[in-house]
Amino acid sequence: VPVEGSHWLSMREVVEMLRQKGHEVVVVAPEVSLHIKPSKNLVMKMHSVPFTEEDMEEVYEAFLQIPFEEGSFLEKIPKVNEIMKRFGDMSAASCQHLLQNKELIRYLEETKF
């Protein structure tokens, strides 16, 4: 169950190596993601989330722009905190939707995920 961003980018290599060694790999991921995309080499189980790709891009773009904004480091801290809160809220909502997806949870239980 990867997390968006660098967590997935690092995990993807491990997943690919496991698959090459003959393991069946199942990736459980949100339908809306910037980096976690379906692949013909992996079994992907997607779950819905209450936000759009545009919402996610907005949060990432805002985070990436902070270093280039005018102001001192201390003035930027509240902006970073707000963006991290938004990202945390999106992550929590994604987890809630995963756990509320009875069909997907049943599949995971039946396959001893």
Side-chain angles (χ1 to χ4, degrees), residues 5-31:
S6 61
H7 296 86
W8 170 245
L9 298 176
S10 299
M11 186 183 204
R12 186 172 53 194
E13 284 188 48
V14 173
V15 166
E16 185 58 32
M17 291 173 78
L18 287 169
R19 191 197 63 75
Q20 288 174 2
K21 292 183 181 238
H23 296 277
E24 179 183 1
V25 179
V26 177
V27 177
V28 177
E31 288 177 338

Side-chain angles (χ1 to χ4, degrees), residues 34-94:
L34 298 179
H35 297 102
I36 307 167
K37 301 298 180 195
S39 167
K40 62 181 178 175
N41 298 326
L42 304 171
V43 175
M44 299 287 290
K45 294 295 182 182
M46 311 299 272
H47 62 89
S48 65
V49 290
F51 50 84
T52 65
E53 191 168 322
E54 290 78 23
D55 295 332
M56 184 173 273
E57 286 175 357
E58 180 184 316
V59 171
Y60 274 96
E61 286 297 318
F63 183 74
L64 293 175
Q65 289 304 314
I66 290 174
F68 303 105
E69 292 179 0
E70 294 292 322
S72 70
F73 175 76
L74 292 177
E75 291 171 325
K76 294 176 185 179
I77 290 175
K79 292 178 185 179
V80 171
N81 284 340
E82 176 57 32
I83 291 168
M84 295 308 292
K85 181 183 179 328
R86 287 176 59 196
F87 181 73
D89 290 346
M90 291 171 90
S91 296
S94 179

